[in-house]
Amino acid sequence: MSDDQLSRVFSALADPTRRDMVARLTTADATVNELAEPYNVSLQAVSKHLKVLEDAGLVTRTRDAQRRPVHLEAEVFDLMTKWIERYRQQAESRYRRLDALLAEMNPQTDSSQENAS
């Protein structure tokens, strides 16, 4: 996933209405009308939200006879998860090094914590 696409994905998900739409699409595909039901906004506003999600690669629109369901592209979340996981692992590694350094600087803390257990 390119940095530009990743930026579009995170930007699209920054809006609570779009996050809610994505959450609802995890259970099943839905039409624009179905997605618009719980919101007090126009169909045009919902379509604009869907366009942002579509441009980010999070959803696609298909044709099923007269219906035009919106489909969630779950693979994008796999790519986002991999990106996030890389930085989570780096942060955990830094915290482990910090814990080790603090333990070296204050060995009494370890023994007093063991005695308290």
Side-chain angles (χ1 to χ4, degrees):
M1 177 181 283
S2 71
D3 285 345
D4 191 42
Q5 184 184 14
L6 194 61
S7 295
R8 285 193 308 268
V9 168
F10 283 119
S11 178
L13 293 174
D15 183 274
T17 301
R18 289 193 287 267
R19 284 194 309 271
D20 186 61
M21 288 179 179
V22 166
R24 291 174 52 221
L25 287 169
T26 61
T27 58
D29 291 355
T31 64
V32 174
N33 286 335
E34 292 166 342
L35 286 171
E37 284 175 13
Y39 310 112
N40 190 18
V41 295
S42 68
L43 285 177
Q44 183 179 6
V46 171
S47 291
K48 285 182 179 182
H49 281 299
L50 289 173
K51 177 72 173 134
V52 171
L53 293 172
E54 202 170 14
D55 289 346
L58 289 163
V59 300
T60 55
R61 296 185 203 199
T62 57
R63 184 171 296 265
D64 180 17
Q66 296 298 323
R67 290 183 80 232
R68 292 203 40 145
V70 178
H71 174 76
L72 182 65
E73 296 297 331
E75 307 83 45
V76 175
F77 291 100
D78 292 339
L79 294 171
M80 289 172 54
T81 301
K82 287 178 186 174
W83 183 86
I84 291 168
E85 180 63 19
R86 177 177 27 161
Y87 293 103
R88 187 191 64 76
Q89 288 176 359
Q90 288 177 0
E92 278 188 10
S93 176
R94 285 192 299 267
Y95 286 128
R96 282 193 300 273
R97 288 194 310 266
L98 179 59
D99 286 344
L101 178 63
L102 292 173
E104 283 178 29
M105 292 173 64
N106 192 0
Q108 295 172 348
T109 302
D110 288 341
S111 61
S112 64
Q113 286 178 351
E114 288 173 8
N115 292 337
S117 297

